[in-house]
Amino acid sequence: MTQVKFDISTSLDGYIAGPDPDLEQPLGAGGEQLHDWVVKLSIWREQHGLAGGEVSADTEIMAEATDGIAAYVMGRGMFGGGDGSWGDEPWSGWWGEEPPFHAPVFVVTHHARAPLPREGGTTFHFVTEGVEAAVARAQQAVGEGDVLVAGGASVIQQALRAGLVDEFQLHVTPVLLGGGTPLFAGLGPDDVQVETVRVVESPSVTHLKYRVVR
Amino acid sequence: MTQVKFDISTSLDGYIAGPDPDLEQPLGAGGEQLHDWVVKLSIWREQHGLAGGEVSADTEIMAEATDGIAAYVMGRGMFGGGDGSWGDEPWSGWWGEEPPFHAPVFVVTHHARAPLPREGGTTFHFVTEGVEAAVARAQQAVGEGDVLVAGGASVIQQALRAGLVDEFQLHVTPVLLGGGTPLFAGLGPDDVQVETVRVVESPSVTHLKYRVVR
């Protein structure tokens, strides 16, 4: 059975990005630190076409998190930022010629657009009917694989509120950002109940995995 | 050397109490759940003069958290709620004839008052010069013991901002409260830097211990 998941780095005070994001700092002030633990891993670098990097206790977590993911769902901002319209020459996103997904990616947007195939097996599909429709299309696409809701916060929150998420993992980094994008904004006890699946500690990050209870 | 600590249960979305606290629900809507893991333990019940209870993986965490604590600092609300004035007949707090502290407790308040000795070794001292003064007086009182900043959120935040805290532990319960009192409100990267000391998982709560880096 297909599982729908998300997997995201947060600060100790619950933010997935810092204050005042802009083109220079798309993750806001201090937000890059949330990903320090992962971008230094060789497994992450390999997925992004880069050599070198470390093998650590976090490697196994990262391998497990991406293993079996056969399709992705993401918001318009994560695909390519901007004002939400495509313009005359459609913006092909942050992800370059060969995006690291190697799978279909369903982008939730208000602006219809033809699918955008890229090198390496990634095709961006643009879904205008909302998060539920994007997750449903991803599930159809994957067969037996899993669907990762990649972000941003709004798409994750919509997926949680709609009861679409089976499991999630937080990578809690020991930093306070003091503001920014709170992961669970607008969600309360009537929206989501969870139970703990597993906790893994490493020197630079704590991995907390939860199952959504229905 | 005396350590200054705090030790507090939080929701997965970072609140130490739920929305809309009142006399019926001093911890706000849903806030009691944050303490479910501890109030069922025999070690907690014994400290509060109650029989029965469970022994579990959390017992050791609770024993360690209270071991060596020789004085407490708390805010006026945690001592006794109310409007902050003592009135004609000074309110003796939430804690009854024999409070569970068995040690001096320094209450941060704007209203001077003579010390209030209670049974079982607890004496409440009322400090009008702020959190730093309360912590300093607690440190003088304890000699070699540790000082626990018991709460509420405001006193903990003031102690963190003033650089008074050496170590803290969060007991993260797998619930979303969706609002309430955020533990780290108003604190950012310039106020507090931490490193992870230890993570312990149990079925109902995850214990995250951090050291403040100076």
Side-chain angles (χ1 to χ4, degrees):
Chain A
M1 180 65 187
T2 299
Q3 298 269 300
V4 179
K5 305 176 175 190
F6 69 89
D7 199 283
I8 200 153
S9 296
T10 82
S11 65
L12 186 52
D13 48 356
Y15 298 101
I16 66 166
D20 307 321
D22 57 23
L23 282 177
E24 299 269 301
Q25 289 190 128
L27 295 176
E32 288 288 340
Q33 293 172 84
L34 303 182
H35 302 277
D36 282 350
W37 71 274
V38 69
V39 299
K40 68 185 178 189
L41 297 178
S42 58
I43 184 173
W44 186 91
R45 294 179 59 84
E46 194 184 321
Q47 286 168 1
H48 291 73
L50 302 167
E54 299 175 12
V55 173
S56 76
D58 300 319
T59 297
E60 203 173 317
I61 295 290
M62 183 64 191
E64 184 195 83
T66 49
D67 186 44
I69 302 296
Y72 295 79
V73 171
M74 67 176 61
R76 172 67 171 78
M78 188 170 180
F79 166 72
D83 66 357
S85 70
W86 303 118
D88 289 337
E89 198 159 342
W91 166 234
S92 62
W94 302 122
W95 301 99
E97 288 302 311
E98 188 172 344
F101 306 105
H102 312 294
V105 177
F106 295 86
V107 179
V108 181
T109 171
H110 294 294
H111 297 268
R113 181 173 170 183
L116 177 69
R118 311 302 276 168
E119 287 169 30
T122 299
T123 296
F124 293 105
H125 302 269
F126 301 90
V127 181
T128 56
E129 300 85 12
V131 173
E132 292 202 48
V135 169
R137 284 190 56 192
Q139 286 177 308
Q140 284 165 13
V142 295
E144 292 297 298
D146 294 329
V147 174
L148 188 80
V149 180
S154 169
V155 165
I156 289 175
Q157 290 155 10
Q158 291 173 58
L160 279 170
R161 189 174 298 105
L164 303 172
V165 176
D166 298 296
E167 195 177 271
F168 61 89
Q169 188 163 220
L170 310 182
H171 309 288
V172 180
T173 56
V175 298
L176 296 183
L177 291 180
T181 307
L183 174 57
F184 290 117
L187 296 169
D190 298 334
D191 302 303
V192 191
Q193 293 88 44
V194 302
E195 58 189 25
T196 310
V197 173
R198 188 194 67 189
V199 175
V200 177
E201 176 190 6
S202 89
S204 52
V205 60
T206 303
H207 310 282
L208 306 177
K209 190 187 268 194
Y210 296 94
R211 184 182 301 117
V212 175
V213 182
R214 296 202 165 90
Chain B
M1 181 63 188
T2 298
Q3 297 270 301
V4 179
K5 306 176 173 187
F6 70 87
D7 198 282
I8 201 155
S9 295
T10 82
S11 65
L12 186 54
D13 47 356
Y15 297 101
I16 65 166
D20 307 320
D22 57 23
L23 284 177
E24 301 268 301
Q25 289 190 131
L27 295 175
E32 289 288 339
Q33 294 172 85
L34 303 181
H35 302 277
D36 282 351
W37 70 274
V38 69
V39 299
K40 68 186 178 189
L41 298 178
S42 57
I43 184 173
W44 186 91
R45 295 180 59 84
E46 195 184 319
Q47 285 167 0
H48 290 73
L50 302 167
E54 298 176 12
V55 174
S56 76
D58 300 319
T59 297
E60 203 173 319
I61 296 291
M62 182 64 191
E64 184 195 81
T66 50
D67 187 43
I69 301 297
Y72 295 80
V73 170
M74 66 175 61
R76 172 66 171 78
M78 189 171 180
F79 166 71
D83 66 357
S85 69
W86 301 118
D88 290 334
E89 199 160 341
W91 167 234
S92 62
W94 301 123
W95 301 99
E97 288 303 310
E98 188 173 344
F101 306 106
H102 313 295
V105 178
F106 295 85
V107 179
V108 181
T109 170
H110 293 294
H111 297 269
R113 181 173 169 183
L116 178 68
R118 310 301 276 168
E119 287 169 30
T122 299
T123 296
F124 293 104
H125 301 269
F126 301 90
V127 181
T128 55
E129 299 84 14
V131 172
E132 293 202 49
V135 169
R137 285 191 54 192
Q139 286 177 307
Q140 284 164 12
V142 296
E144 291 300 297
D146 293 330
V147 174
L148 187 80
V149 180
S154 169
V155 165
I156 289 174
Q157 290 155 10
Q158 290 173 58
L160 280 169
R161 189 174 298 108
L164 303 173
V165 176
D166 298 296
E167 194 176 273
F168 61 89
Q169 188 162 221
L170 310 182
H171 310 287
V172 180
T173 55
V175 298
L176 296 183
L177 291 180
T181 307
L183 175 58
F184 290 117
L187 296 169
D190 297 334
D191 302 303
V192 192
Q193 293 87 46
V194 302
E195 59 188 26
T196 309
V197 174
R198 188 195 66 190
V199 176
V200 177
E201 175 190 8
S202 89
S204 53
V205 60
T206 302
H207 310 281
L208 307 177
K209 190 187 270 194
Y210 296 94
R211 184 183 301 114
V212 176
V213 182
R214 296 202 166 89

